[in-house]
Amino acid sequence: ERNSKYFYVHHSPMSTHMIYEENAFDNFDGIFCVGPYQIKETLEREEKYSLKKKRLFESGYSNFDELLTNKKMVKNDEILIASSWGKNSIVNTCLNELISKLISLNYKVTFRPHNMSFKNDKKKLNNAINNFKEKNNFKLDLNPDSIESINNSKLLITDWSGIAFEYYVINNKPILFVDTPPKINNKNYTKLSEKPLEITMREEIGEILNINEIKKLDKSSLQEKIILASKKVNESEKFISKNFYNLGRSVNVICDQIEELIN
């Protein structure tokens, strides 16, 4: 409609300029932003390319609210592998060897694939599931809701999945990032001076696990990585307050902001 205005609520805490198409947000009249990094990125893009100015709201991420409400402290020793999808994901690069290695070290493994993997990475995904489904120490998680797996695990291993943010915010538990190549849908993302949060946060909130190290891992080298990653979790409050608006109350804030717009 000619007189309509269009506003966007971010459905992921990722940065705006690497995993999305370059002009994904240019034509909105306003954006409800998860944190100051999204505001900085959007303003820099508007300035650099002389785009129309949008209304940018300090909103937060409603999924964090939901997860915090359902958080439980469960004493469990499962390792959660949660992957993104596409050619650079754990599924397509190292899934078999990662699960195999962890099971051989006597860890319980829960694997949570991205639902898009069933469409785009079907062959490799089904191959891994069939390889391990009979193993006692392996569990496949197909629940649309991630909270149970997050609560039940003592460690997250991921690639570039947004679950890392969720895990870090609601859990005081360590994260390992397998260094698969990042997902880049905007090849011009480096033209902005702001570095995507999903790149900078990896070293800040977890430890990197080199793909080539997986085969060589033993109990003590993995334990070393986990201890280093655990120390970073102790800094979580500082990271969260610096990067995310209105933690635990963003739904109310967004409702108020929408009401303000209508009025």
Side-chain angles (χ1 to χ4, degrees), residues 54-70:
K54 290 173 273 302
R55 282 198 69 178
L56 301 175
F57 295 91
E58 297 184 0
S59 302
Y61 184 48
S62 57
N63 203 33
F64 287 157
D65 298 8
E66 176 75 13
L67 289 164
L68 285 164
T69 307
N70 295 299

Side-chain angles (χ1 to χ4, degrees), residues 32-50:
F32 297 92
C33 297
V34 172
Y37 57 99
Q38 289 183 340
I39 289 186
K40 282 185 205 155
E41 294 154 9
T42 308
L43 288 173
E44 188 182 351
R45 181 164 171 80
E46 285 176 353
E47 184 76 21
K48 193 173 178 69
Y49 298 103
S50 306

